[in-house]
Amino acid sequence: MFFSIRKHASKLIAATLAIGTMASISAAALDQPVAMLSSNLNASVGTVLNSDQINTAEQALAKAKAEAEAKAKAEAAAKAEAEKNKAETEATTSQTAYNDLLTAPVSAKTVSYSSSLLATDDIKKNATSLGNYKLTFYCPCATCNGVAGAQTASGTTPTEGRTIAVDSSVIPLGSRVYIDGYGVFIAEDTGGAIKNNKIDVFVSSHSRAYDLGVKYADIYLLD
């Protein structure tokens, strides 16, 4: 037991002397690598850098940080430019589609409701909304027209998918009209019972007019 106490006391004295030696090192000496007191101290502390090495490491870190920030900034700018180009392309495409509604021929087609023909945001933004209208349907027979095979009020041959009868004091003849859920039509006809917010849609037969009955839809006057 006495021997063990003396052994620990010796180690304590050695550690005290080592600490005293380190405390006496001048400030200038701190710029140089500090000598390892023992292999055990080296293993526990590791490599000690001098001031030049620290400066080099700090400069490398600052450079890496600057490069990372520049890269992030460049990527953000590229993303913003891509989003801008995408928005411009979508706007151009949307405007082109709307312009086509104004100029493309309105061809004959079967009149029927379709969700694919609901008014787009572009139509709602650019066209004049006339509100919700009552839709009825008529054909070229004498029952619907008074005279079988009659021409329209504007002098055209009525065609399913193109011709509608309107109140010309509200919707001028020749106007393009978008019926929500049905598509584009041309105001080519009038009728004694067609007043205010009512539109008569031409179809090819009396049975079709009867089957379609009465509908309601939002109406847009294409400008």
Side-chain angles (χ1 to χ4, degrees), residues 48-213:
V48 178
L49 301 178
N50 61 30
S51 61
D52 289 340
Q53 291 171 322
I54 292 173
N55 289 336
T56 299
E58 289 177 342
Q59 290 171 4
L61 179 61
K63 181 180 179 181
K65 182 179 179 181
E67 290 176 347
E69 290 176 347
K71 181 179 179 181
K73 185 176 180 180
E75 290 175 347
K79 182 179 179 181
E81 183 66 19
E83 290 176 348
K84 177 183 176 183
N85 291 338
K86 180 181 178 181
E88 290 176 349
T89 299
E90 289 177 347
T92 299
T93 301
S94 181
Q95 188 62 47
T96 299
Y98 183 76
N99 290 340
D100 287 343
L101 295 178
L102 301 179
T103 59
V106 181
S107 304
K109 60 182 180 293
T110 300
V111 172
S112 63
Y113 175 87
S114 173
S115 59
S116 66
L117 294 174
L118 291 173
T120 63
D121 289 341
D122 203 52
I123 292 172
K124 295 176 181 179
K125 180 178 68 175
N126 291 285
T128 300
S129 175
L130 300 181
N132 195 258
Y133 272 50
K134 180 180 181 179
L135 304 181
T136 54
F137 301 86
Y138 75 110
C139 75
C141 74
T143 302
C144 290
N145 286 278
V147 178
Q151 296 288 84
T152 67
S154 57
T156 63
T157 300
T159 302
E160 180 172 353
R162 187 191 72 202
T163 303
I164 55 174
V166 301
D167 182 345
S168 59
S169 67
V170 178
I171 301 175
L173 288 177
S175 299
R176 292 192 176 217
V177 175
Y178 197 94
I179 302 177
D180 197 26
Y182 293 86
V184 182
F185 296 81
I186 297 179
E188 295 182 322
D189 209 357
T190 58
I194 310 303
K195 300 296 182 184
N196 301 316
N197 61 335
K198 182 179 178 181
I199 288 177
D200 216 8
V201 181
F202 183 85
V203 292
S204 58
S205 68
H206 195 75
S207 61
R208 291 208 67 240
Y210 180 82
D211 289 341
L212 287 166

